[in-house]
Amino acid sequence: MAGGHMKYRALSRKSSHRQALLKNLVTSLFEHESICTTWHKAKEAQRLAEKLITLGKKNTEASRRSAHAKVFKPLQIVPKLFGPFRERYANRAGGYTRVSLLEPVKEDQARSALLELVDGPRDMRFAMTARTIARLREKGQEVNDTTASNIRKVTQFRPNGEDALEAMVQKFEQLSADGDAGVTKVEKKLVYPEVNFGR
């Protein structure tokens, strides 16, 4: 049917190229626990990552074979899927990944996003919540409803979540006390090389 709703984003690639791209993104996600890419690629990779973690939670021989076929570097990634990730998300019914919108990284102003595994060591919402609590304490203000909701979300499934959050808050308080000493300015990198078309 012409003009029907697409079940997935084609990402301007043929099928084999699209599948290879998604395999590569998911492999990088499980290797580093967070990746930065464009919004549309992140949303498509999120779908595949959620399915792979669900396969890891099933922990059967068939699910292991299926996971082997869906990632590059299966000898490094599959043991992580069926080991630490399966234990981390054992009590969570879904929502193992999070996509956060970032300001554009590329010069073409494409929508950029951060795709990350929740409850991991590089969980951005956990760090931002800790930073907010540290700022509120510094100003002597009470925790508002949004921050209280975020505290509940980031500590709900994390083992020793409240203790880990308090440790992170203390790190941010220490950083705030130290000031900007030794902090270098962040420079944006060019993604595309500058081409000189002069004769």
Side-chain angles (χ1 to χ4, degrees):
M1 179 175 121
H5 184 69
M6 288 289 289
K7 289 188 168 58
Y8 57 86
R9 296 172 177 90
L11 301 174
S12 301
R13 287 160 174 84
K14 62 182 183 178
S15 181
S16 58
H17 188 183
R18 179 181 176 277
Q19 290 300 323
L21 169 77
L22 294 177
K23 272 186 182 183
N24 201 359
L25 286 172
V26 167
T27 302
S28 296
L29 174 66
F30 290 139
E31 194 174 351
H32 303 291
E33 301 213 8
S34 77
I35 56 171
C36 182
T37 181
T38 63
W39 170 260
H40 301 289
K41 289 177 189 173
K43 292 302 280 184
E44 286 300 306
Q46 181 182 30
R47 294 172 63 185
L48 183 58
E50 299 266 345
K51 289 175 185 174
L52 283 170
I53 292 173
T54 304
L55 285 176
K57 286 175 69 174
K58 286 181 182 175
N59 199 20
T60 62
E61 188 60 37
S63 63
R64 218 171 258 274
R65 278 197 211 106
S66 184
H68 262 273
K70 290 186 173 124
V71 292
F72 294 129
K73 302 183 188 175
L75 297 178
Q76 289 95 351
I77 301 302
V78 172
K80 283 176 89 173
L81 264 179
F82 287 82
F85 293 157
R86 182 170 66 90
E87 293 164 8
R88 184 191 300 174
Y89 300 121
N91 299 323
R92 195 182 266 271
Y96 315 115
T97 58
R98 180 185 302 121
V99 177
S100 306
L101 198 60
L102 300 175
E103 69 177 66
V105 175
K106 293 184 174 182
E107 300 89 68
D108 61 2
Q109 298 301 307
R111 293 172 73 195
S112 297
L114 178 74
L115 175 60
E116 60 186 346
L117 297 173
V118 299
D119 294 340
R122 299 184 69 180
D123 190 347
M124 185 61 71
R125 179 178 279 174
F126 186 78
M128 290 175 69
T129 304
R131 182 179 171 200
T132 303
I133 295 169
R135 279 189 180 168
L136 290 173
R137 285 183 186 173
E138 187 181 341
K139 293 178 181 177
Q141 295 177 351
E142 292 293 318
V143 172
N144 60 18
D145 294 339
T146 306
T147 307
S149 172
N150 283 336
I151 291 170
R152 185 175 42 77
K153 286 176 186 176
V154 299
T155 58
Q156 185 177 8
F157 294 106
R158 187 184 288 260
N160 301 322
E162 292 175 3
D163 297 335
L165 184 65
E166 186 58 38
M168 182 73 82
V169 169
Q170 288 175 1
K171 281 184 185 177
F172 277 110
E173 287 173 345
Q174 183 63 40
L175 286 171
S176 178
D178 292 346
D180 291 338
V183 177
T184 57
K185 185 179 175 187
V186 177
E187 297 286 342
K188 269 195 161 184
K189 293 181 181 177
L190 287 176
V191 178
Y192 303 111
E194 291 188 24
V195 180
N196 215 352
F197 290 108
R199 291 183 181 221

